[in-house]
Amino acid sequence: MGKSRRTIPEELLLLALDPTTGTTAQPQSLDLGLAGAQLVELALAGRIAPDGDRIAVVVPRPTGDPTLDCALELLRRRGTPVRAVNWIGGPRLGLRQTYLSHLERCGMVHAVAGQMCGVLPTTRYQATDTEISREIRTRLDNAIRTGVPPDPRTAALAALAHAVGLGKHLYPGNEGRSSRSRLRDLIRHDPMGGLVAHAVMDVQSGVAAQPRRNPAPVGRPATAGVRSAPEPARGVPMQPRHGSMARAVAH
C-alpha cells in the first residue's frame, strides 16, 4: 500500500482535530473509531472481509503500512473470524498517539507544547497543511449536499465520523441538524463501513452480547437499523503529560 494515499484512520483523525485549540473532538469514541477505521482500510486493501458480524482475514500478506500490518497480524493470530464489536472494544492503548506521531512525521500536523494550570506539561497538535483537511471535509460536504452515492472510502469515513459523534463538531448548532442527519444516512453506502460503524456505536452503548444483523446492502434504505451516535460536547480539556513519557495528545 503506497503512502501517497492517506488512510481512513489518518483522515478520521484529521477531521477530529480542532484547528483552533489543537485538541481532538470526542477523544474516547475516536479511539474506538480509529480501531474500526483500520478494519475498513484493511478491507479496502483486500486483506480482510466481513463474515456476518465477524471479520475474517482472507489475505494475510502485509500492506506495507506498519500500523495496519500490526492489526492484520493480530487478526491473523486469532485463527478464526472475530466479531467486529469485540475487536473494536479491545484495548488499543496509544493508537491515537501513534497516528498523531505519524501525521507529525509526514508534516501534516505539528506539536505545540503547553501547560495545564500553568504547571503540568501538555501537547496540542495543529494542522500544518490545511489544504488536506479542507479536501477531506469537502468530500464529506459534497456527499451530504449532492445526495450522489459517494465512493467507498468517503462513505466509510462518513459512517465512522457519525459513529464517533463528530457530527456536532463538523456541523454544529441547529443549522447543522440536517447535515448531521444526512451524514448519518451515508452509513448505508458501504457495507463494511456500516458494519464497523454499528460496532463502534454498540461498544459505546455497551451492547456487545448479541450479534448484530448484517447492515443493509448498498442502495437499500437502512432506516430501522441506523441509530444516532451519542453526541457529547465539542472538545475536551487537555490532559497532562506524565514523567518522561513521550508527547501525549489531549484526551
Side-chain angles (χ1 to χ4, degrees), residues 80-223:
T80 58
V82 58
R83 288 185 65 204
V85 70
N86 292 339
W87 172 263
I88 291 169
R92 296 290 178 272
L93 297 177
L95 186 59
R96 181 161 29 115
Q97 183 59 48
T98 295
Y99 276 109
L100 281 168
S101 297
H102 169 73
L103 292 176
E104 184 181 19
R105 289 193 299 271
C106 293
M108 286 188 272
V109 303
H110 70 278
V112 179
Q115 290 183 328
M116 179 183 292
C117 302
V119 178
L120 301 175
T122 61
T123 303
R124 297 176 295 120
Y125 288 86
Q126 304 278 175
T128 54
D129 192 337
T130 55
E131 183 62 31
I132 292 176
S133 297
R134 281 197 298 268
E135 182 271 328
I136 298 169
R137 176 65 181 272
T138 297
R139 281 165 43 211
L140 284 188
D141 291 345
N142 287 341
I144 288 173
R145 185 180 63 253
T146 65
V148 176
D151 63 273
R153 300 186 71 83
T154 302
L157 180 62
L160 288 161
H162 165 71
V164 302
L166 288 183
K168 279 194 172 181
H169 170 70
L170 299 171
Y171 306 104
N174 288 333
E175 65 276 13
R177 183 175 300 172
S178 61
S179 292
R180 293 195 298 271
S181 177
R182 288 192 289 271
L183 179 70
R184 177 199 65 206
D185 291 343
L186 290 175
I187 200 172
R188 71 181 187 271
H189 288 295
D190 180 61
M192 184 65 177
L195 169 65
V196 169
H198 279 302
V200 169
M201 289 186 281
D202 281 349
V203 172
Q204 295 180 81
S205 302
V207 181
Q210 297 299 323
R212 169 175 289 277
R213 61 185 175 85
N214 291 341
V218 176
R220 180 182 300 173
T223 54

